[in-house]
Structures are given as C-alpha cells and as structure tokens.
Amino acid sequence: QVKPGHTVFDIGANIGIFGVRMAQRCGGDIKLIAFEPIPEIRACTEANLKPWPNAFVLPFGIARERGTATFTYFPNAPSLSSAHLDDWEGQDGVLEEAVVGNARHAPMWYAKLLPRFLAGPLARWLTKNPIEVQCELRTVSEIMAEHNIDQLDLLKIDCEGAEEEALIGISESDWPKIQQAVIEVHDIDGRLARVEAILRKAGLTELVTEKEAALENTRLSNVYAHRPRD
C-alpha cells in the first residue's frame, strides 16, 4: 500500500517505470528516491521521473557497506545489467527459460509465437557486447540519514543479485522505520530463506513469497512483507 505523502526507495530502478507508476498512483504526492548506478540507464530514469518534482535519482548501487563495484551493462537488455552476473551464469539455461516465460505471458499476441529453439540465440543477443562500468556503492542507512528519512513506507529492491547485501546494510536502528518491502530474490544457496529471515527478524512478519508466471522455471521469486496492521 502506497499512499500520498509516503516515502519510497526504488533500489535497482532501471529506467524508472516502477517509480513513475507509484507517482501516478499518488498524484505525484510521494517522495521517491530511485537508485540507478549505470549512467546510460540512469539518463532514461532521470528523463522518465523528471515530471515528478519529489522524485530523486541517485547514482549509487546499494550494498552492505560503502565501496565500489564493477557492473556489467548490457545495451540490448539494460534490465539484466548487474554486478552479480554469477547469479545468471551459474544456472544453465535460466536466461533462456526467462526469455520463453516472458514471451508466453507478454501482452502482445505475437510474442507468444516465439519458438522454444530461438530462446537460446535471443538470450545470447540480449547479452551481446557487454560494457563494464565502475560504480559507487552506498548503504540504505546512509541514504536514509542523508535525506532525513524518519519513515520509509516502501522499500523496493530489484538489484539483480545484490538484494541480500542491501538488507544487510540496513542498521538495526533503521529497521523500525521501514514499514513494508517488495524484493526480487535470486534463490541461490538458500538466499530466499535468509532474506525472509532478515525481514521477519526486523518485524516485517506479514510475508508472502510468489513466483511470476513468466519466471516459474527460474530461481527468481518476489517477496512481499509488511508490519502487522490493525
């Protein structure tokens, strides 16, 4: 639930579509802080969020501590850009399954006609000609302090493998300020269970984990969590 007057963090904003939808839903009356470390993508984020005066785009990745990291940017598929490519590379065929799943559940009828044998070549094209970019990393708690965030109404994390690191970077004193979270989790080596445990320990005990139909054959899940409501 996002309402007018709320504050939202969009970690892994990509081109800013999630932020635009939140701003539209609230008539622009939200404080939105979007994080997108890759310059080529961030230019689109800034353009898309420009109509909303209370939307801010920061050039940082989020981690457990301040530092830098090498991100791989895919010009043909910006949403796959990440500093944690091993989450994809360690799963044979997972990208092909994601391509097929998204095609089968796409709103365009012609996308559903994608033959299974083309998924591999398409996945290879999507990840063709990668570009490495050095990006600054910050923590959620640092940004909350710098922007005087006393209550964070929604923490959205979709940062391609860094989701657990982002949660670890939240100080114990800041967790009570966070009311709800929606997180995409790559469930590798028990990560999903650890993320759920972090959220429950922090008091976000009303928790639902779901898989998108398009990603049912991958290790990607979405976790929705919030504090108990009266």
Side-chain angles (χ1 to χ4, degrees), residues 31-224:
K31 182 175 182 178
L32 173 71
I33 299 180
F35 300 81
E36 180 45 61
I38 298 174
E40 291 84 351
I41 302 175
R42 190 169 63 252
C44 295
T45 318
E46 292 170 341
N48 286 330
L49 293 175
K50 187 175 181 179
W52 313 106
N54 292 322
F56 306 90
V57 182
L58 303 185
F60 309 128
I62 295 295
R64 68 166 67 199
E65 60 187 6
R66 181 191 288 257
T68 59
T70 301
F71 282 70
T72 302
Y73 166 58
F74 296 108
N76 294 338
S79 63
L80 296 178
S81 303
S82 174
H84 296 264
L85 290 187
D86 49 336
D87 279 8
W88 289 105
E89 293 171 348
Q91 304 176 63
D92 291 340
V94 68
L95 186 54
E96 288 88 340
E97 290 296 340
V99 168
V100 171
N102 277 285
R104 288 175 178 170
H105 294 87
M108 301 83 69
W109 66 268
Y110 50 84
K112 297 177 174 62
L113 302 179
L114 175 72
R116 180 65 179 82
F117 71 88
L118 289 181
L122 180 54
R124 288 190 289 275
W125 177 81
L126 290 173
T127 54
K128 187 178 179 181
N129 299 324
I131 299 170
E132 291 191 345
V133 184
Q134 283 292 117
C135 299
E136 184 177 355
L137 303 177
R138 302 290 297 277
T139 72
V140 170
S141 285
E142 283 183 310
I143 304 302
M144 289 178 69
E146 291 173 6
H147 288 260
N148 300 311
I149 306 297
D150 295 321
Q151 178 167 307
L152 182 55
D153 299 284
L154 176 61
L155 173 65
K156 175 263 188 182
I157 302 177
D158 182 1
C159 51
E160 300 303 322
E163 55 276 1
E164 185 178 8
E165 295 288 303
L167 296 178
I168 292 172
I170 300 173
S171 68
E172 187 174 341
S173 61
D174 281 331
W175 270 112
K177 303 173 185 177
I178 300 173
Q179 304 305 305
Q180 57 186 336
V182 55
I183 306 170
E184 182 186 79
V185 180
H186 293 234
D187 188 18
I188 298 171
D189 297 328
R191 187 184 301 164
L192 177 59
R194 293 194 302 273
V195 165
E196 292 173 335
I198 290 171
L199 294 170
R200 289 193 176 100
K201 182 179 178 181
L204 280 71
T205 55
E206 301 296 316
L207 189 149
V208 174
T209 299
E210 297 179 342
K211 272 187 172 291
E212 294 180 35
L215 301 174
E216 61 185 354
N217 293 321
T218 73
R219 295 186 185 180
L220 293 173
S221 295
N222 292 320
V223 179
Y224 306 89

